[in-house]
Amino acid sequence: MKIAIIGAGFSGLSAAAYLAKAGHEVHVLEKHHQPGGRARQFTTEEGFVFDMGPSWYWMPDIIENFFRDFGRTTSDFFELIPLDPQFEMVFSDGITAIPADDEEMKKLFEEMEPGAGEKLDAFMKAAQFKYEEGMGKFVILPCHSWLEFATPQIAQNALKLDLLTNFRSYVKKYFKHPKLRALMEFPVIFLGASPEKIPALYSLMNYGGYALGTHYPQGGFYKLVGAMESIASEAGAQFHYNACAEKIKSEEKRVKSITVNGEELEFDAVIGASDYHHTESLLEDTHAKNYPESYWKKKTFAPSCLIYYLGFNEKIPNLKHHTLFFEHDLDVHIDAIYKDKKWPEEPLFYACCPSKTDPSTAPGEKENLFLLMPLATGIEDHESYREEYLSRMLRRVEKLTGVKDLHTKIEYKRSYCVSDFIQDYNAYGGNAYGLANTLSQTAVLKPKLRNKKLKNLFYAGQLTVPGPGVPPAIISGKIVATEVNKLQKKQYEKTI
């Protein structure tokens, strides 16, 4: 089959590799000049190297599984550095460093709350079960219907997965200290909703992060992008950059062609690994969409964010690779994102300083700093807002590091916000992380990965199963590749 994949993000790269390995003629159409999607990278004239998006290398086993499927390993492409401490959390009354060693983590918990060390063991044991069951058996399902989950093993383990308990209540069963609760709740922020809206199933992220460790691919997260592109290319996939998909034409309940940069190209199957809503907007036959505009308006999207890529002309002391600034109330910031839809009054934010681990990201004795503040989708983000919040974040970095007047030491500055996500990725509402993983948007309740009216149109990525995040996106590509292979098999069986 001749297959087009729209978008060279993680799901598109994954699907391309698996389908090329299966013997298909695979063409990846990417509007930008490089692969990666939100995980692109850029280098400045001053010599700073910035990963544009993902920076938390968690669930290393899931990523490793992709490479093993092709007889390779991540170490064939890059060096993976374990971070210790994994990160620091800045609270109003002090700093908490999160150690990489399990026993040190238990000790930290015990110091904050007597008995919490043993409770951490119990929490992580339950989280490990959810991780192994969830990531090993649940997320690999295409989720066409609930019948896929109707197996004796899944039924037996359903209660242990805590699908009907919210994450905040679940954490409270184990820990009382507000800092410990914040520490355990932090990972689900990536899932795009308040801990009160996220199923306790997602304690699996605590295991995938804290227990399996926080890592960094030397050279930047883009090393993973390049490695996946290499594997897909070696398998035979062809990549077309600066190739903008403009229209999808269909006939007799099948996609016939894609118009790319004004040229109509015919394909046997198409995978939209771009933003799901955008892929459907390309359909010439608007009745062939899976979902109307009203459907998307009702969905709960994960946040957008304000990002600043900053290059400083000197080293910044007392700053770790990952730092979370949690001096203010998490719920107040969450309300600004989901209820009030406004710029937060007391924002939390995240700072990544890769030059602490990787000298290649900043020249000489200079520093590379990435600041990220979660933000509501669909709001105005003009430059004055961006600059105001940069000043507020820098003041808090100054307080932590003891360095004064950081703004005078900036050698390179670039901001990225809601309108940029829309412009660069056609992201619905400017979302950065896809759909929130609330219970009503989990598994079968997510947008379907097959088009209901066009037999050879599929979808992959963070707006369909299994959901947002780098490992889930890689898995999404594998799932959709399997579905395309099933289509080919059915077509073959009809001919014999």
Side-chain angles (χ1 to χ4, degrees):
M1 292 175 67
K2 184 179 179 182
I3 301 167
I5 299 174
I6 304 173
F10 284 114
S11 64
L13 291 168
S14 175
Y18 285 109
L19 288 169
K21 181 184 178 183
H24 299 286
E25 180 185 337
V26 179
H27 295 266
V28 182
L29 311 173
E30 170 56 52
K31 67 178 282 190
H32 296 286
H33 72 278
Q34 62 182 157
R38 286 165 169 79
R40 290 180 296 149
Q41 188 180 78
F42 70 94
T43 302
T44 74
E45 292 181 359
E46 298 83 0
F48 296 99
V49 181
F50 292 98
D51 283 325
M52 293 189 69
S55 58
W56 290 83
Y57 197 106
W58 277 1
M59 304 184 184
D61 57 325
I62 302 300
I63 296 173
E64 195 67 53
N65 286 342
F66 169 83
F67 289 87
R68 287 175 183 159
D69 284 345
F70 297 88
R72 306 296 291 276
T73 176
T74 52
S75 61
D76 293 336
F77 298 92
F78 53 82
E79 180 185 5
L80 202 57
I81 307 295
L83 300 181
D84 191 12
Q86 298 189 52
F87 57 93
E88 282 190 343
M89 294 187 78
V90 180
F91 296 102
S92 58
D93 61 350
I95 304 165
T96 300
I98 309 306
D101 181 75
D102 291 344
E103 289 303 314
E104 289 297 316
M105 180 80 94
K106 280 182 63 177
K107 183 179 177 182
L108 172 67
F109 274 56
E110 193 66 31
E111 288 173 353
M112 288 190 182
E113 179 183 318
E118 293 302 316
K119 289 181 180 178
L120 176 64
D121 271 344
F123 185 98
M124 284 300 184
K125 183 178 180 180
Q128 180 178 1
F129 174 81
K130 292 169 189 169
Y131 184 85
E132 292 171 351
E133 287 292 309
M135 300 306 292
K137 297 169 186 173
F138 281 78
V139 301
I140 60 174
L141 298 174
C143 295
H144 297 312
S145 81
W146 290 112
L147 292 176
E148 295 168 33
F149 297 85
T151 68
Q153 186 176 24
I154 290 177
Q156 180 181 355
N157 294 327
L159 289 177
K160 295 181 182 179
L161 294 174
D162 291 303
L163 278 167
L164 300 180
T165 304
N166 77 67
F167 193 79
R168 172 153 292 168
S169 297
Y170 183 76
V171 169
K172 283 183 178 179
K173 292 179 182 179
Y174 288 88
F175 310 108
K176 296 179 181 178
H177 198 290
K179 288 185 181 179
L180 295 184
R181 289 180 180 176
L183 173 61
M184 301 312 282
E185 288 182 355
F186 148 66
V188 303
I189 294 175
F190 292 121
L191 300 177
S194 164
E196 294 178 336
K197 302 292 185 181
I198 297 289
L201 164 69
Y202 289 104
S203 65
L204 63 85
M205 290 192 66
N206 296 92
Y207 180 80
Y210 301 164
L212 297 184
T214 302
H215 300 79
Y216 173 79
Q218 200 73 352
F221 218 97
Y222 195 69
K223 285 288 186 180
L224 175 59
V225 174
M228 292 181 67
E229 181 196 35
S230 294
I231 284 179
S233 296
E234 289 170 6
Q238 301 175 51
F239 287 83
H240 308 273
Y241 296 111
N242 300 308
C244 185
E246 299 163 341
K247 185 189 300 181
I248 300 174
K249 187 176 181 179
S250 59
E251 288 183 5
E252 298 178 352
K253 298 182 180 180
R254 297 179 66 85
V255 167
K256 180 184 179 184
S257 66
I258 303 178
T259 300
V260 182
N261 294 347
E263 181 182 1
E264 187 174 347
L265 305 172
E266 294 192 356
F267 294 97
D268 300 312
V270 172
I271 297 171
S274 53
D275 181 275
Y276 198 122
H277 173 269
H278 172 68
T279 300
E280 297 227 299
S281 75
L282 300 179
L283 288 166
E284 188 177 58
D285 179 4
T286 58
H287 297 292
K289 292 181 180 181
N290 267 355
Y291 306 103
E293 191 68 24
S294 58
Y295 171 88
W296 297 106
K297 288 180 178 179
K298 294 176 183 177
K299 288 297 173 184
T300 301
F301 278 81
S304 184
C305 55
L306 168 64
I307 300 172
Y308 265 95
Y309 309 101
L310 303 172
F312 290 88
N313 60 18
E314 64 180 52
K315 288 291 183 183
I316 303 174
N318 306 316
L319 195 61
K320 296 295 188 290
H321 190 118
H322 295 303
T323 307
L324 300 168
F325 288 79
F326 267 53
E327 306 102 309
H328 302 305
D329 192 317
L330 171 63
D331 289 335
V332 173
H333 190 140
I334 286 175
D335 285 347
I337 294 172
Y338 293 106
K339 290 183 181 179
D340 304 324
K341 290 280 186 179
K342 67 178 184 179
W343 286 77
E345 294 178 8
E346 295 184 322
L348 309 181
F349 70 98
Y350 156 62
C352 178
C353 190
S355 46
K356 295 297 183 185
T357 304
D358 185 355
S360 72
T361 62
E365 291 299 308
K366 299 182 180 182
E367 207 81 278
N368 176 317
L369 187 62
F370 169 104
L371 300 179
L372 183 151
M373 186 185 79
L375 198 61
T377 57
I379 63 174
E380 292 185 9
D381 66 342
H382 49 73
E383 194 63 27
S384 62
Y385 287 167
R386 300 186 187 197
E387 286 294 310
E388 176 191 343
Y389 280 84
L390 171 61
S391 296
R392 295 170 68 169
M393 290 188 285
L394 285 179
R395 284 197 293 270
R396 286 158 69 181
V397 175
E398 288 172 350
K399 183 178 179 181
L400 170 67
T401 62
V403 179
K404 295 181 180 179
D405 300 322
L406 272 174
H407 66 281
T408 66
K409 307 176 191 301
I410 295 174
E411 189 173 303
Y412 176 84
K413 178 176 69 175
R414 177 183 176 184
S415 65
Y416 204 91
C417 203
V418 178
S419 58
D420 299 295
F421 281 100
I422 294 171
Q423 173 66 31
D424 285 354
Y425 309 122
N426 302 295
Y428 188 88
N431 80 85
Y433 306 105
L435 286 176
N437 265 351
T438 59
L439 185 58
S440 62
Q441 295 180 168
T442 294
V444 176
L445 301 177
K446 288 186 181 293
K448 300 299 184 184
L449 56 77
R450 295 191 69 161
N451 187 281
K452 303 168 188 176
K453 298 161 188 171
L454 304 175
K455 297 179 181 179
N456 59 343
L457 176 58
F458 303 82
Y459 309 87
Q462 60 183 8
L463 289 177
T464 184
V465 293
V470 174
I474 293 172
I475 292 171
S476 180
K478 184 176 183 178
I479 294 172
V480 80
T482 301
E483 293 300 300
V484 173
N485 287 331
K486 288 179 183 177
L487 174 67
Q488 183 192 39
K489 184 179 179 182
K490 285 182 180 179
Q491 291 178 344
Y492 173 75
E493 289 172 349
K494 287 181 178 180
T495 63
I496 59 174

